[in-house]
Amino acid sequence: MAGLAGLAGLGLSACGRGFGGGDDEPAAGTVQLNMVWWGDAKRAEKTQAALDIFQRKNPGITIKTEYQDSGPYKDKLATRFAAGDAPDLMAMRMDSLREYADRGALLDLTSHSGAVDLSGLSESARTLAAVGDKTYGVPAGLNAIGFVINKTLTDKYGVQIPDGNTWSWADLSTFSQAITKASGKKVYGTNFDASTLANLIVFTRQQGEDFYTADGALGVTEATMVAWFDMFNQMRASGAMPPAGFIEDVGSSAEASYLAKGSIASQIIPTNNFLVYKEAAGGNLALLRIPGETQAKRRGQSVDCPHLWSIASASKHQAEALKLLNFLVNDIDASKATGTTRGVPASSKIAEELKPSLTPDDQVATEYLIGLQGENLPRSYTYPPGSSKIQSSLESIATEVEFKRQTPQQAAKAFIDAGRKALGK
Amino acid sequence: MTSGTTTRALAGSVASDVLAAPRRRRAKPRKDRAGYLFLLPWFIGMLFTIIPFFASLYLAFTDYNLLNAPQWIGFGNFREMLDDPLLRQSLKVTFIYTFVSVPLSLVVALGVAMMLNRGIRGLSVYRAVFYLPSLLGGSVAIVLLWKYIFGFDGIVNGFLGWFGIDGPGWTTDPDYALTTLIILHIWTFGSPMVIFLAGLRQIPTMYYEAAATDGASRWRQFRSITLPLLSPIIFFNLIQSLISSFQTFTQGFIMSGGTGGPADSTIFYNLYLYQQGFSQFHMGYASAMAWVLLVIIAAFTALNFLAAKYWVFYDN
């Protein structure tokens, strides 16, 4: 048995060196860091600009970056770890954090506070990444979800945009129906996914519940899930949203989105993507809060991050990786280069310093987030291990509702059952 | 250097096993060596198959999350499979796909092969045109193209629209998504078709001439001459198609963006295996699934060989 295990290990590590590594050997005396993340070409350009500054300031370190679309990133990262070829510094999904951290794959940054200064982190940034009293990553930026409306279309069809700070879910429905009607169904008023956890989490918090509780259990009730699915059914029936089957999986880029195509007038986006969506949709987008915030039992929105920066505990160049992480978090030049492609800088000090140098468009999303940060929002808890399973069962159950194969009641029950099973509580 | 020596030693031992004829080996060592040299890439390739093969057999009996060392859990993964609704769903999807699309694609392949076998001019062009989809059918680009053709505003629904029919979401509606993939599979009938065509050309024309003289209808000729004489080829195509169909992955992965959706309607067995292994950190379970698939495929292949006695006719 042990022999076989050894053989397996041998096979895996051999593969890792053969394919995953494949890097050009760095010159003697220099250290090469491997850094991986997801995003588009725009983000790559900005990230590279920051890394160039770092390499100029630290002549002994070169950085080899790899990036790709967000969808397949997760599987790729898991494979890299399995092959014993973990990157030094990586973008870590919030819902994957515990799956790696709980298994000892990530470096605890609290024990390296001398190398990475975390004292500048805003309160919301600090709580985001905490797992107990340890920290396995630093938010690469802060964002929230926001509602964007294409103003070109509302002007064209003469529909007024509701007040984004006080609008209700009913207002959203009325507004969207008006667009659909005025356009003769050429443009549907709105569309957003019932299966995107970030959307559902805000809705759940508005009902006074936590989607995930502090001890990592499922806190959302069946009643809330019924209300969530009901709302989508009603919006589809009234024409506020396109009919079942209309929306296809077109990937995650802003350019390919239905908002950019002009077949829907509004949707929910992560605020750090405001710039790319604005450009893709023709340059005239309004950014509103999520509906229902003033009518709800409590505030639903929260400050999140698109991803964390984490360091592999198996990294051979931890000192250098920490140095790079510190640069990304605490150096104003880094943030000036990257702008807000990953959200508002996690360090409040850097965020303040960066603000004046942002373009007016960039300031829209930044103001939005800084506004939220200043308000008293209930805390949200880290995704427990098993949450990726919850995400996939939500996707299939939401589709069952969309095509009327399940009633909201059946779907809500099925989701809660599947969720509890996935979390083991 | 070392690898060269090893290979020579390996080649030598295989040679003595296989040929078991030392005299001949002494007589033509040079020729043998050239042969094994040509086989070398295969031997090296085999290592990359054999090692993961045994590794996965071991991992099937472990709890392995990719990040920590595997923990031996005996038959735990196999017990878990008995109570996994998504695994049952993935088997259902794979079986429906296989048992609908394999017979249909073979019928289409045989039909087109017979059409092309009538000595039409420009045969090689037609053959290439019909074969083209199967070169591309499993490829990412074609599945993406398919997605557009069958999109909500795609060509198919546009065509249906002329007749006042509101087409469904072919790729987004859980009731239609698998059907769309089955149609794609049938469209890629090229490789069995080419094999059928070769088989048809082997049947001596005198049989047909004799049958025609005796007044046999075309249908009668097909049933009494073509089918029996072609049965070994049909058998070969059937086995090939069954095996590859059980292992379908790309189509489901691309069409659903890796989720197996809508609503798990395209979650092929191999796609679910991939999700377990690489998205859910459940590599032990995924390895166990791989071995169960091997057993399923072996069972169906064995069944086919048993049944073959009753319908496959070898004319030697």
PDB file of all heavy atoms in Angstrom, chain A residues 4-5 8 12, chain B residues 52-66 68-74 77-78 283-288 291:
ATOM      1  N   LEU A   4       2.390   1.846  -3.242  1.00  0.00           N
ATOM      2  CA  LEU A   4       1.502   2.453  -4.230  1.00  0.00           C
ATOM      3  C   LEU A   4       1.347   3.940  -3.996  1.00  0.00           C
ATOM      4  O   LEU A   4       1.387   4.744  -4.912  1.00  0.00           O
ATOM      5  CB  LEU A   4       0.123   1.794  -4.168  1.00  0.00           C
ATOM      6  CG  LEU A   4      -0.075   0.608  -5.086  1.00  0.00           C
ATOM      7  CD1 LEU A   4      -1.465   0.050  -4.896  1.00  0.00           C
ATOM      8  CD2 LEU A   4       0.143   1.022  -6.525  1.00  0.00           C
ATOM      9  N   ALA A   5       1.200   4.290  -2.707  1.00  0.00           N
ATOM     10  CA  ALA A   5       1.041   5.711  -2.377  1.00  0.00           C
ATOM     11  C   ALA A   5       2.270   6.479  -2.823  1.00  0.00           C
ATOM     12  O   ALA A   5       2.172   7.542  -3.423  1.00  0.00           O
ATOM     13  CB  ALA A   5       0.831   5.882  -0.878  1.00  0.00           C
ATOM     14  N   ALA A   8       2.148   6.911  -6.422  1.00  0.00           N
ATOM     15  CA  ALA A   8       1.195   7.954  -6.805  1.00  0.00           C
ATOM     16  C   ALA A   8       1.824   9.323  -6.619  1.00  0.00           C
ATOM     17  O   ALA A   8       1.770  10.171  -7.492  1.00  0.00           O
ATOM     18  CB  ALA A   8      -0.069   7.843  -5.970  1.00  0.00           C
ATOM     19  N   LEU A  12       2.610  12.183  -9.453  1.00  0.00           N
ATOM     20  CA  LEU A  12       2.058  13.531  -9.409  1.00  0.00           C
ATOM     21  C   LEU A  12       3.155  14.578  -9.437  1.00  0.00           C
ATOM     22  O   LEU A  12       3.098  15.526 -10.206  1.00  0.00           O
ATOM     23  CB  LEU A  12       1.204  13.704  -8.152  1.00  0.00           C
ATOM     24  CG  LEU A  12      -0.111  12.926  -8.185  1.00  0.00           C
ATOM     25  CD1 LEU A  12      -0.796  12.984  -6.846  1.00  0.00           C
ATOM     26  CD2 LEU A  12      -1.025  13.454  -9.287  1.00  0.00           C
TER      27      LEU A  12
ATOM     28  N   PRO B  52      -0.717   6.898 -13.493  1.00  0.00           N
ATOM     29  CA  PRO B  52      -1.993   7.415 -12.999  1.00  0.00           C
ATOM     30  C   PRO B  52      -3.049   6.315 -12.857  1.00  0.00           C
ATOM     31  O   PRO B  52      -3.902   6.391 -11.979  1.00  0.00           O
ATOM     32  CB  PRO B  52      -2.422   8.413 -14.080  1.00  0.00           C
ATOM     33  CG  PRO B  52      -1.194   8.780 -14.789  1.00  0.00           C
ATOM     34  CD  PRO B  52      -0.308   7.576 -14.733  1.00  0.00           C
ATOM     35  N   PHE B  53      -2.970   5.308 -13.715  1.00  0.00           N
ATOM     36  CA  PHE B  53      -3.915   4.193 -13.671  1.00  0.00           C
ATOM     37  C   PHE B  53      -3.881   3.530 -12.293  1.00  0.00           C
ATOM     38  O   PHE B  53      -4.899   3.405 -11.617  1.00  0.00           O
ATOM     39  CB  PHE B  53      -3.521   3.216 -14.782  1.00  0.00           C
ATOM     40  CG  PHE B  53      -4.440   2.060 -14.980  1.00  0.00           C
ATOM     41  CD1 PHE B  53      -5.616   2.212 -15.685  1.00  0.00           C
ATOM     42  CD2 PHE B  53      -4.118   0.810 -14.482  1.00  0.00           C
ATOM     43  CE1 PHE B  53      -6.466   1.141 -15.893  1.00  0.00           C
ATOM     44  CE2 PHE B  53      -4.957  -0.271 -14.681  1.00  0.00           C
ATOM     45  CZ  PHE B  53      -6.136  -0.108 -15.384  1.00  0.00           C
ATOM     46  N   PHE B  54      -2.691   3.159 -11.867  1.00  0.00           N
ATOM     47  CA  PHE B  54      -2.583   2.506 -10.558  1.00  0.00           C
ATOM     48  C   PHE B  54      -2.784   3.504  -9.421  1.00  0.00           C
ATOM     49  O   PHE B  54      -3.343   3.169  -8.384  1.00  0.00           O
ATOM     50  CB  PHE B  54      -1.240   1.773 -10.433  1.00  0.00           C
ATOM     51  CG  PHE B  54      -1.222   0.491 -11.206  1.00  0.00           C
ATOM     52  CD1 PHE B  54      -0.463   0.354 -12.345  1.00  0.00           C
ATOM     53  CD2 PHE B  54      -2.018  -0.576 -10.805  1.00  0.00           C
ATOM     54  CE1 PHE B  54      -0.468  -0.817 -13.075  1.00  0.00           C
ATOM     55  CE2 PHE B  54      -2.042  -1.762 -11.531  1.00  0.00           C
ATOM     56  CZ  PHE B  54      -1.259  -1.885 -12.668  1.00  0.00           C
ATOM     57  N   ALA B  55      -2.333   4.730  -9.640  1.00  0.00           N
ATOM     58  CA  ALA B  55      -2.540   5.750  -8.607  1.00  0.00           C
ATOM     59  C   ALA B  55      -4.027   5.930  -8.363  1.00  0.00           C
ATOM     60  O   ALA B  55      -4.476   5.990  -7.215  1.00  0.00           O
ATOM     61  CB  ALA B  55      -1.906   7.074  -9.039  1.00  0.00           C
ATOM     62  N   SER B  56      -4.814   5.969  -9.441  1.00  0.00           N
ATOM     63  CA  SER B  56      -6.243   6.201  -9.261  1.00  0.00           C
ATOM     64  C   SER B  56      -6.901   4.996  -8.600  1.00  0.00           C
ATOM     65  O   SER B  56      -7.845   5.148  -7.829  1.00  0.00           O
ATOM     66  CB  SER B  56      -6.918   6.538 -10.592  1.00  0.00           C
ATOM     67  OG  SER B  56      -7.185   5.373 -11.313  1.00  0.00           O
ATOM     68  N   LEU B  57      -6.379   3.805  -8.857  1.00  0.00           N
ATOM     69  CA  LEU B  57      -6.933   2.624  -8.184  1.00  0.00           C
ATOM     70  C   LEU B  57      -6.709   2.731  -6.679  1.00  0.00           C
ATOM     71  O   LEU B  57      -7.608   2.465  -5.876  1.00  0.00           O
ATOM     72  CB  LEU B  57      -6.269   1.345  -8.726  1.00  0.00           C
ATOM     73  CG  LEU B  57      -6.777   0.039  -8.104  1.00  0.00           C
ATOM     74  CD1 LEU B  57      -8.272  -0.111  -8.307  1.00  0.00           C
ATOM     75  CD2 LEU B  57      -6.045  -1.166  -8.686  1.00  0.00           C
ATOM     76  N   TYR B  58      -5.529   3.168  -6.300  1.00  0.00           N
ATOM     77  CA  TYR B  58      -5.256   3.364  -4.874  1.00  0.00           C
ATOM     78  C   TYR B  58      -6.129   4.476  -4.305  1.00  0.00           C
ATOM     79  O   TYR B  58      -6.770   4.331  -3.266  1.00  0.00           O
ATOM     80  CB  TYR B  58      -3.763   3.687  -4.669  1.00  0.00           C
ATOM     81  CG  TYR B  58      -3.460   4.232  -3.298  1.00  0.00           C
ATOM     82  CD1 TYR B  58      -3.527   3.412  -2.172  1.00  0.00           C
ATOM     83  CD2 TYR B  58      -3.127   5.570  -3.122  1.00  0.00           C
ATOM     84  CE1 TYR B  58      -3.278   3.917  -0.911  1.00  0.00           C
ATOM     85  CE2 TYR B  58      -2.868   6.082  -1.862  1.00  0.00           C
ATOM     86  CZ  TYR B  58      -2.940   5.256  -0.762  1.00  0.00           C
ATOM     87  OH  TYR B  58      -2.711   5.759   0.487  1.00  0.00           O
ATOM     88  N   LEU B  59      -6.178   5.601  -5.035  1.00  0.00           N
ATOM     89  CA  LEU B  59      -6.933   6.763  -4.536  1.00  0.00           C
ATOM     90  C   LEU B  59      -8.416   6.466  -4.386  1.00  0.00           C
ATOM     91  O   LEU B  59      -9.094   7.066  -3.552  1.00  0.00           O
ATOM     92  CB  LEU B  59      -6.734   7.966  -5.470  1.00  0.00           C
ATOM     93  CG  LEU B  59      -5.333   8.572  -5.474  1.00  0.00           C
ATOM     94  CD1 LEU B  59      -5.220   9.665  -6.527  1.00  0.00           C
ATOM     95  CD2 LEU B  59      -4.989   9.144  -4.095  1.00  0.00           C
ATOM     96  N   ALA B  60      -8.920   5.523  -5.186  1.00  0.00           N
ATOM     97  CA  ALA B  60     -10.344   5.180  -5.110  1.00  0.00           C
ATOM     98  C   ALA B  60     -10.726   4.678  -3.724  1.00  0.00           C
ATOM     99  O   ALA B  60     -11.888   4.755  -3.326  1.00  0.00           O
ATOM    100  CB  ALA B  60     -10.685   4.129  -6.168  1.00  0.00           C
ATOM    101  N   PHE B  61      -9.759   4.175  -2.991  1.00  0.00           N
ATOM    102  CA  PHE B  61     -10.042   3.657  -1.653  1.00  0.00           C
ATOM    103  C   PHE B  61      -9.617   4.630  -0.556  1.00  0.00           C
ATOM    104  O   PHE B  61      -9.415   4.245   0.577  1.00  0.00           O
ATOM    105  CB  PHE B  61      -9.343   2.303  -1.452  1.00  0.00           C
ATOM    106  CG  PHE B  61      -9.897   1.241  -2.355  1.00  0.00           C
ATOM    107  CD1 PHE B  61      -9.303   0.966  -3.569  1.00  0.00           C
ATOM    108  CD2 PHE B  61     -11.050   0.548  -1.990  1.00  0.00           C
ATOM    109  CE1 PHE B  61      -9.824   0.010  -4.416  1.00  0.00           C
ATOM    110  CE2 PHE B  61     -11.583  -0.411  -2.824  1.00  0.00           C
ATOM    111  CZ  PHE B  61     -10.972  -0.677  -4.049  1.00  0.00           C
ATOM    112  N   THR B  62      -9.415   5.909  -0.950  1.00  0.00           N
ATOM    113  CA  THR B  62      -8.960   6.881   0.032  1.00  0.00           C
ATOM    114  C   THR B  62      -9.863   8.100   0.033  1.00  0.00           C
ATOM    115  O   THR B  62     -10.639   8.313  -0.886  1.00  0.00           O
ATOM    116  CB  THR B  62      -7.543   7.397  -0.286  1.00  0.00           C
ATOM    117  OG1 THR B  62      -7.601   8.132  -1.517  1.00  0.00           O
ATOM    118  CG2 THR B  62      -6.544   6.276  -0.409  1.00  0.00           C
ATOM    119  N   ASP B  63      -9.744   8.875   1.095  1.00  0.00           N
ATOM    120  CA  ASP B  63     -10.327  10.204   1.139  1.00  0.00           C
ATOM    121  C   ASP B  63      -9.178  11.147   0.786  1.00  0.00           C
ATOM    122  O   ASP B  63      -8.247  11.300   1.558  1.00  0.00           O
ATOM    123  CB  ASP B  63     -10.853  10.480   2.551  1.00  0.00           C
ATOM    124  CG  ASP B  63     -11.530  11.830   2.634  1.00  0.00           C
ATOM    125  OD1 ASP B  63     -11.719  12.468   1.584  1.00  0.00           O
ATOM    126  OD2 ASP B  63     -11.878  12.244   3.756  1.00  0.00           O
ATOM    127  N   TYR B  64      -9.250  11.734  -0.411  1.00  0.00           N
ATOM    128  CA  TYR B  64      -8.124  12.537  -0.870  1.00  0.00           C
ATOM    129  C   TYR B  64      -8.637  13.888  -1.353  1.00  0.00           C
ATOM    130  O   TYR B  64      -9.406  13.963  -2.302  1.00  0.00           O
ATOM    131  CB  TYR B  64      -7.382  11.796  -1.996  1.00  0.00           C
ATOM    132  CG  TYR B  64      -6.242  12.566  -2.598  1.00  0.00           C
ATOM    133  CD1 TYR B  64      -5.327  13.242  -1.787  1.00  0.00           C
ATOM    134  CD2 TYR B  64      -6.051  12.621  -3.969  1.00  0.00           C
ATOM    135  CE1 TYR B  64      -4.279  13.955  -2.344  1.00  0.00           C
ATOM    136  CE2 TYR B  64      -5.004  13.326  -4.534  1.00  0.00           C
ATOM    137  CZ  TYR B  64      -4.118  14.001  -3.707  1.00  0.00           C
ATOM    138  OH  TYR B  64      -3.085  14.705  -4.253  1.00  0.00           O
ATOM    139  N   ASN B  65      -8.219  14.972  -0.690  1.00  0.00           N
ATOM    140  CA  ASN B  65      -8.752  16.301  -1.023  1.00  0.00           C
ATOM    141  C   ASN B  65      -7.779  17.139  -1.840  1.00  0.00           C
ATOM    142  O   ASN B  65      -7.927  18.351  -1.914  1.00  0.00           O
ATOM    143  CB  ASN B  65      -9.153  17.038   0.259  1.00  0.00           C
ATOM    144  CG  ASN B  65      -7.978  17.265   1.190  1.00  0.00           C
ATOM    145  OD1 ASN B  65      -6.831  17.337   0.757  1.00  0.00           O
ATOM    146  ND2 ASN B  65      -8.256  17.371   2.472  1.00  0.00           N
ATOM    147  N   LEU B  66      -6.797  16.534  -2.431  1.00  0.00           N
ATOM    148  CA  LEU B  66      -5.794  17.192  -3.277  1.00  0.00           C
ATOM    149  C   LEU B  66      -4.729  17.921  -2.472  1.00  0.00           C
ATOM    150  O   LEU B  66      -3.614  18.090  -2.925  1.00  0.00           O
ATOM    151  CB  LEU B  66      -6.403  18.209  -4.255  1.00  0.00           C
ATOM    152  CG  LEU B  66      -7.362  17.721  -5.331  1.00  0.00           C
ATOM    153  CD1 LEU B  66      -7.900  18.918  -6.109  1.00  0.00           C
ATOM    154  CD2 LEU B  66      -6.676  16.773  -6.287  1.00  0.00           C
ATOM    155  N   ASN B  68      -4.081  17.462   1.193  1.00  0.00           N
ATOM    156  CA  ASN B  68      -3.441  16.661   2.223  1.00  0.00           C
ATOM    157  C   ASN B  68      -3.232  15.237   1.706  1.00  0.00           C
ATOM    158  O   ASN B  68      -3.818  14.849   0.697  1.00  0.00           O
ATOM    159  CB  ASN B  68      -4.313  16.630   3.481  1.00  0.00           C
ATOM    160  CG  ASN B  68      -4.581  18.040   3.990  1.00  0.00           C
ATOM    161  OD1 ASN B  68      -5.726  18.431   4.158  1.00  0.00           O
ATOM    162  ND2 ASN B  68      -3.529  18.822   4.180  1.00  0.00           N
ATOM    163  N   ALA B  69      -2.405  14.480   2.437  1.00  0.00           N
ATOM    164  CA  ALA B  69      -2.132  13.113   2.016  1.00  0.00           C
ATOM    165  C   ALA B  69      -3.421  12.300   2.041  1.00  0.00           C
ATOM    166  O   ALA B  69      -4.274  12.507   2.894  1.00  0.00           O
ATOM    167  CB  ALA B  69      -1.090  12.490   2.943  1.00  0.00           C
ATOM    168  N   PRO B  70      -3.569  11.346   1.080  1.00  0.00           N
ATOM    169  CA  PRO B  70      -4.779  10.524   1.052  1.00  0.00           C
ATOM    170  C   PRO B  70      -4.932   9.680   2.311  1.00  0.00           C
ATOM    171  O   PRO B  70      -3.935   9.189   2.853  1.00  0.00           O
ATOM    172  CB  PRO B  70      -4.572   9.628  -0.172  1.00  0.00           C
ATOM    173  CG  PRO B  70      -3.348  10.090  -0.867  1.00  0.00           C
ATOM    174  CD  PRO B  70      -2.618  11.026   0.019  1.00  0.00           C
ATOM    175  N   GLN B  71      -6.163   9.539   2.795  1.00  0.00           N
ATOM    176  CA  GLN B  71      -6.443   8.697   3.963  1.00  0.00           C
ATOM    177  C   GLN B  71      -7.190   7.453   3.507  1.00  0.00           C
ATOM    178  O   GLN B  71      -8.217   7.566   2.842  1.00  0.00           O
ATOM    179  CB  GLN B  71      -7.353   9.449   4.954  1.00  0.00           C
ATOM    180  CG  GLN B  71      -6.789  10.748   5.480  1.00  0.00           C
ATOM    181  CD  GLN B  71      -5.659  10.507   6.456  1.00  0.00           C
ATOM    182  OE1 GLN B  71      -5.747   9.595   7.286  1.00  0.00           O
ATOM    183  NE2 GLN B  71      -4.606  11.296   6.358  1.00  0.00           N
ATOM    184  N   TRP B  72      -6.682   6.281   3.885  1.00  0.00           N
ATOM    185  CA  TRP B  72      -7.320   5.033   3.484  1.00  0.00           C
ATOM    186  C   TRP B  72      -8.697   4.907   4.130  1.00  0.00           C
ATOM    187  O   TRP B  72      -8.823   4.996   5.343  1.00  0.00           O
ATOM    188  CB  TRP B  72      -6.435   3.858   3.912  1.00  0.00           C
ATOM    189  CG  TRP B  72      -6.972   2.542   3.472  1.00  0.00           C
ATOM    190  CD1 TRP B  72      -7.749   1.699   4.205  1.00  0.00           C
ATOM    191  CD2 TRP B  72      -6.795   1.932   2.193  1.00  0.00           C
ATOM    192  NE1 TRP B  72      -8.073   0.596   3.460  1.00  0.00           N
ATOM    193  CE2 TRP B  72      -7.499   0.710   2.219  1.00  0.00           C
ATOM    194  CE3 TRP B  72      -6.104   2.310   1.036  1.00  0.00           C
ATOM    195  CZ2 TRP B  72      -7.537  -0.143   1.125  1.00  0.00           C
ATOM    196  CZ3 TRP B  72      -6.147   1.454  -0.051  1.00  0.00           C
ATOM    197  CH2 TRP B  72      -6.853   0.235  -0.005  1.00  0.00           C
ATOM    198  N   ILE B  73      -9.749   4.718   3.310  1.00  0.00           N
ATOM    199  CA  ILE B  73     -11.084   4.560   3.899  1.00  0.00           C
ATOM    200  C   ILE B  73     -11.797   3.322   3.355  1.00  0.00           C
ATOM    201  O   ILE B  73     -13.016   3.197   3.442  1.00  0.00           O
ATOM    202  CB  ILE B  73     -11.982   5.799   3.645  1.00  0.00           C
ATOM    203  CG1 ILE B  73     -12.034   6.157   2.159  1.00  0.00           C
ATOM    204  CG2 ILE B  73     -11.534   6.999   4.463  1.00  0.00           C
ATOM    205  CD1 ILE B  73     -13.176   7.085   1.817  1.00  0.00           C
ATOM    206  N   GLY B  74     -11.039   2.407   2.779  1.00  0.00           N
ATOM    207  CA  GLY B  74     -11.643   1.169   2.282  1.00  0.00           C
ATOM    208  C   GLY B  74     -12.700   1.454   1.226  1.00  0.00           C
ATOM    209  O   GLY B  74     -12.460   2.217   0.298  1.00  0.00           O
ATOM    210  N   ASN B  77     -15.833   5.317  -0.391  1.00  0.00           N
ATOM    211  CA  ASN B  77     -16.285   6.063  -1.572  1.00  0.00           C
ATOM    212  C   ASN B  77     -17.379   5.308  -2.305  1.00  0.00           C
ATOM    213  O   ASN B  77     -18.337   5.910  -2.789  1.00  0.00           O
ATOM    214  CB  ASN B  77     -15.116   6.301  -2.521  1.00  0.00           C
ATOM    215  CG  ASN B  77     -14.154   7.339  -1.974  1.00  0.00           C
ATOM    216  OD1 ASN B  77     -14.578   8.304  -1.346  1.00  0.00           O
ATOM    217  ND2 ASN B  77     -12.866   7.128  -2.208  1.00  0.00           N
ATOM    218  N   PHE B  78     -17.234   4.002  -2.384  1.00  0.00           N
ATOM    219  CA  PHE B  78     -18.208   3.216  -3.141  1.00  0.00           C
ATOM    220  C   PHE B  78     -19.544   3.183  -2.409  1.00  0.00           C
ATOM    221  O   PHE B  78     -20.601   3.237  -3.033  1.00  0.00           O
ATOM    222  CB  PHE B  78     -17.674   1.800  -3.385  1.00  0.00           C
ATOM    223  CG  PHE B  78     -16.424   1.806  -4.228  1.00  0.00           C
ATOM    224  CD1 PHE B  78     -15.161   1.805  -3.636  1.00  0.00           C
ATOM    225  CD2 PHE B  78     -16.516   1.859  -5.608  1.00  0.00           C
ATOM    226  CE1 PHE B  78     -14.017   1.835  -4.408  1.00  0.00           C
ATOM    227  CE2 PHE B  78     -15.371   1.891  -6.397  1.00  0.00           C
ATOM    228  CZ  PHE B  78     -14.114   1.880  -5.794  1.00  0.00           C
ATOM    229  N   MET B 283     -11.084  14.056  -4.698  1.00  0.00           N
ATOM    230  CA  MET B 283     -10.389  13.273  -5.705  1.00  0.00           C
ATOM    231  C   MET B 283     -10.491  11.771  -5.470  1.00  0.00           C
ATOM    232  O   MET B 283     -10.497  10.986  -6.414  1.00  0.00           O
ATOM    233  CB  MET B 283      -8.917  13.706  -5.787  1.00  0.00           C
ATOM    234  CG  MET B 283      -8.158  13.133  -6.967  1.00  0.00           C
ATOM    235  SD  MET B 283      -8.960  13.426  -8.554  1.00  0.00           S
ATOM    236  CE  MET B 283      -8.226  14.962  -9.047  1.00  0.00           C
ATOM    237  N   GLY B 284     -10.585  11.363  -4.209  1.00  0.00           N
ATOM    238  CA  GLY B 284     -10.749   9.938  -3.928  1.00  0.00           C
ATOM    239  C   GLY B 284     -12.044   9.423  -4.532  1.00  0.00           C
ATOM    240  O   GLY B 284     -12.081   8.376  -5.194  1.00  0.00           O
ATOM    241  N   TYR B 285     -13.093  10.193  -4.319  1.00  0.00           N
ATOM    242  CA  TYR B 285     -14.404   9.841  -4.840  1.00  0.00           C
ATOM    243  C   TYR B 285     -14.382   9.808  -6.366  1.00  0.00           C
ATOM    244  O   TYR B 285     -14.914   8.890  -6.992  1.00  0.00           O
ATOM    245  CB  TYR B 285     -15.416  10.869  -4.338  1.00  0.00           C
ATOM    246  CG  TYR B 285     -16.862  10.522  -4.563  1.00  0.00           C
ATOM    247  CD1 TYR B 285     -17.464   9.499  -3.836  1.00  0.00           C
ATOM    248  CD2 TYR B 285     -17.637  11.223  -5.470  1.00  0.00           C
ATOM    249  CE1 TYR B 285     -18.794   9.186  -4.016  1.00  0.00           C
ATOM    250  CE2 TYR B 285     -18.972  10.921  -5.664  1.00  0.00           C
ATOM    251  CZ  TYR B 285     -19.554   9.898  -4.934  1.00  0.00           C
ATOM    252  OH  TYR B 285     -20.871   9.598  -5.125  1.00  0.00           O
ATOM    253  N   ALA B 286     -13.735  10.829  -6.954  1.00  0.00           N
ATOM    254  CA  ALA B 286     -13.653  10.887  -8.411  1.00  0.00           C
ATOM    255  C   ALA B 286     -12.920   9.663  -8.956  1.00  0.00           C
ATOM    256  O   ALA B 286     -13.307   9.090  -9.975  1.00  0.00           O
ATOM    257  CB  ALA B 286     -12.951  12.176  -8.843  1.00  0.00           C
ATOM    258  N   SER B 287     -11.863   9.223  -8.265  1.00  0.00           N
ATOM    259  CA  SER B 287     -11.118   8.042  -8.710  1.00  0.00           C
ATOM    260  C   SER B 287     -11.999   6.802  -8.636  1.00  0.00           C
ATOM    261  O   SER B 287     -11.985   5.960  -9.543  1.00  0.00           O
ATOM    262  CB  SER B 287      -9.877   7.836  -7.841  1.00  0.00           C
ATOM    263  OG  SER B 287      -9.058   8.966  -7.887  1.00  0.00           O
ATOM    264  N   ALA B 288     -12.777   6.707  -7.554  1.00  0.00           N
ATOM    265  CA  ALA B 288     -13.689   5.567  -7.421  1.00  0.00           C
ATOM    266  C   ALA B 288     -14.688   5.579  -8.573  1.00  0.00           C
ATOM    267  O   ALA B 288     -14.982   4.538  -9.171  1.00  0.00           O
ATOM    268  CB  ALA B 288     -14.408   5.626  -6.082  1.00  0.00           C
ATOM    269  N   TRP B 291     -13.267   4.173 -11.755  1.00  0.00           N
ATOM    270  CA  TRP B 291     -13.196   2.708 -11.807  1.00  0.00           C
ATOM    271  C   TRP B 291     -14.561   2.082 -12.010  1.00  0.00           C
ATOM    272  O   TRP B 291     -14.689   1.058 -12.666  1.00  0.00           O
ATOM    273  CB  TRP B 291     -12.489   2.171 -10.556  1.00  0.00           C
ATOM    274  CG  TRP B 291     -11.015   2.324 -10.744  1.00  0.00           C
ATOM    275  CD1 TRP B 291     -10.283   3.444 -10.485  1.00  0.00           C
ATOM    276  CD2 TRP B 291     -10.128   1.378 -11.325  1.00  0.00           C
ATOM    277  NE1 TRP B 291      -8.984   3.239 -10.863  1.00  0.00           N
ATOM    278  CE2 TRP B 291      -8.857   1.980 -11.377  1.00  0.00           C
ATOM    279  CE3 TRP B 291     -10.282   0.083 -11.801  1.00  0.00           C
ATOM    280  CZ2 TRP B 291      -7.747   1.330 -11.897  1.00  0.00           C
ATOM    281  CZ3 TRP B 291      -9.171  -0.570 -12.312  1.00  0.00           C
ATOM    282  CH2 TRP B 291      -7.920   0.051 -12.357  1.00  0.00           C
TER     283      TRP B 291
END
